[in-house]
Amino acid sequence: MSKPFSIDVGGLRSRAKDAGTDAVAKADAAGEVHGFHPREPRGRPGRKPSPRTGQVHAKVLPHVSEEIAEEAQRRGVTQGVLIEEAWALYCARQSREG
Amino acid sequence: MPTIVIASPKGGAGKSTTAVLLATELAAAGAEVTLLDCDPNRSITLWSERAPVPRRVAVLSGVTEAEIVRVIKARDQDGQIVVVDLEGVASRLVSRAISQADLVLTPMRATTLDATIGVRALALVAEEEEALGRRIPLAVVFTMTRAVRSTQHKGIEASLRTQGVDLIEPSLMERAAFSALFEFGGDLRTMPAQGRMEGAIENAREFARAVHARLVAVPA
C-alpha cells in the first residue's frame, strides 16, 4: 500500500498565460497547421429577424400585413396591386408637395 | 492554480476516465478541482449526474470553443485545479484549451492506432509552444493496460521515450472499477466494490500523485 497522498495547496501557484485575442489567434493558427479546425456548428444560418417587425421576411408590421392581405382578398387582387396603388398615391402626394 | 488539459484527437483513448480519476484523486488529496466538460458527448456531466459529486469537485458542462479560454481564465486562480476534458476529435476547441494549459495529458491505449493518432496532440503542443513562446509541458499516460505488457506496448513505449516524450508511471490499468465510475458516479471510495478495489484506488492515487509531481515541478 502506498503512502497517503496529500496536496500542499499553497505549493500550486497560478501562472500567467496570455489569453488575449492575439494569443488565441496564434493558437488557432497552430491548430490549423495540424488539422485542428473549428467543428462547432455556426449560428443559425439565414437572415436575422427584422429588429423593427420581428419577422424574417416581413416588409411591414404584422397587423398591417394582415390588413393588406384581407383587403387584397376582398377585392380579388394580389397584394402587389395594393402596393402599386399605394406607391402611386405616394408619388402623387410627393409631386403636390413639391 | 494549474490547468490540466486532457487531449487526444483519438476517441476511446480514456480521456474522460482519466479526467474523473485525476479530479477525484486530487480532490481526495485536498485540492479544489473544477472539471470542465467540453465534450459534446457529456461524459463528465453524465458521471456527475449519477451520484453526488465528491467534495471539492465542481463540474462545468457544455463549455464551447468560444468560451473555453475565458472559462479557464476565470478559474485559473489560487485554490483551484482545472481539469479540462475534451472531445476525441481534432478541433479548434482543443488547440484553444492547450493554449491555456500548464500540463497537457494525452491518454493513449498501447496500440499502434492510438499512438499514431495520439501523436497529433504532441505535434500540436509543440506548434503552440513555438507560436505562443512558452513551454507547455506534456505527458502521455497509457490507459487500459494489462499487468503483462504486450510487445506492441513495449515497442510504442520505447519509441516515445526515444523521442523524449514524458511517460507517466503508473499507467492506468484496465479495471472494472474505472469503467464503473460512469455507472455509479462518485469516486472509487464511494462506489460499490468492483473487483479488487484496493488495487484500483492505489493505481488511481499513484497516477494522480505522478501528475501532481509534474505540476509542482513546472517552473513558475
Side-chain angles (χ1 to χ4, degrees), chain B residues 122-134:
Chain B
L122 279 59
L124 174 60
V125 169
E127 187 86 24
E128 290 204 40
E129 281 186 323
E130 196 173 325
L132 299 171
R134 77 174 180 93

Side-chain angles (χ1 to χ4, degrees), chain B:
Chain B
M1 287 291 174
T3 297
I4 305 165
V5 172
I6 317 281
S8 169
K10 173 77 172 62
K15 283 184 291 299
S16 298
T17 305
T18 301
V20 169
L21 287 170
L22 184 59
T24 51
E25 290 304 311
L26 290 174
E32 296 284 340
V33 183
T34 301
L35 253 173
L36 300 187
D37 186 358
C38 304
D39 183 349
N41 294 315
R42 301 175 68 249
S43 306
I44 299 292
T45 305
L46 292 171
W47 163 77
S48 73
E49 290 168 352
R50 293 283 183 189
V53 174
R55 199 157 70 95
R56 289 191 289 270
V57 177
V59 174
L60 258 176
S61 305
V63 183
T64 64
E65 179 186 300
E67 301 165 331
I68 183 71
V69 171
R70 184 168 42 83
V71 171
I72 291 176
K73 194 77 184 165
R75 282 154 187 81
D76 185 5
Q77 52 191 268
D78 291 347
Q80 287 279 335
I81 290 177
V82 181
V83 176
V84 184
D85 182 42
L86 294 158
E87 188 184 9
V89 294
S91 71
R92 178 171 281 178
L93 182 57
V94 175
S95 53
R96 288 190 176 178
I98 287 173
S99 77
Q100 300 302 305
D102 291 288
L103 176 66
V104 177
L105 263 185
T106 298
M108 199 181 275
R109 295 177 71 178
T111 67
T112 305
L113 184 61
D114 267 52
T116 306
I117 300 174
V119 159
R120 290 179 65 195
L122 279 59
L124 174 60
V125 169
E127 187 86 24
E128 290 204 40
E129 281 186 323
E130 196 173 325
L132 299 171
R134 77 174 180 93
R135 185 167 171 264
I136 304 173
L138 178 141
V140 167
V141 57
F142 284 110
T143 57
M144 293 170 253
T145 58
R146 304 285 176 90
V148 179
R149 294 185 181 190
S150 66
T151 308
Q152 197 177 34
H153 184 159
K154 288 175 189 166
I156 294 166
E157 196 174 284
S159 168
L160 290 172
R161 283 195 198 284
T162 306
Q163 295 169 61
V165 176
D166 180 15
L167 301 181
I168 291 187
E169 288 290 348
S171 60
L172 289 170
M173 297 187 73
E174 183 160 27
R175 292 180 183 276
F178 292 172
S179 50
L181 277 168
F182 294 90
E183 182 181 351
F184 297 106
D187 63 22
L188 296 172
R189 291 162 185 80
T190 58
M191 72 159 61
Q194 308 287 314
R196 205 171 67 81
M197 290 304 286
E198 195 174 295
I201 291 170
E202 182 168 350
N203 188 182
R205 182 176 52 215
E206 291 309 305
F207 162 68
R209 192 199 298 267
V211 172
H212 174 256
R214 283 160 175 81
L215 293 178
V216 292
V218 175

Side-chain angles (χ1 to χ4, degrees), chain A residues 19-65:
Chain A
T21 314
D22 285 354
V24 173
K26 285 178 184 172
D28 288 351
E32 294 278 341
V33 171
H34 293 278
F36 287 71
H37 302 295
R39 287 183 186 271
E40 288 178 3
R42 292 179 183 278
R44 196 174 171 176
R47 184 184 290 184
K48 298 275 185 294
S50 159
R52 190 174 80 89
T53 65
Q55 294 183 318
V56 175
H57 296 294
K59 274 78 175 177
V60 294
L61 288 162
H63 71 279
V64 179
S65 170

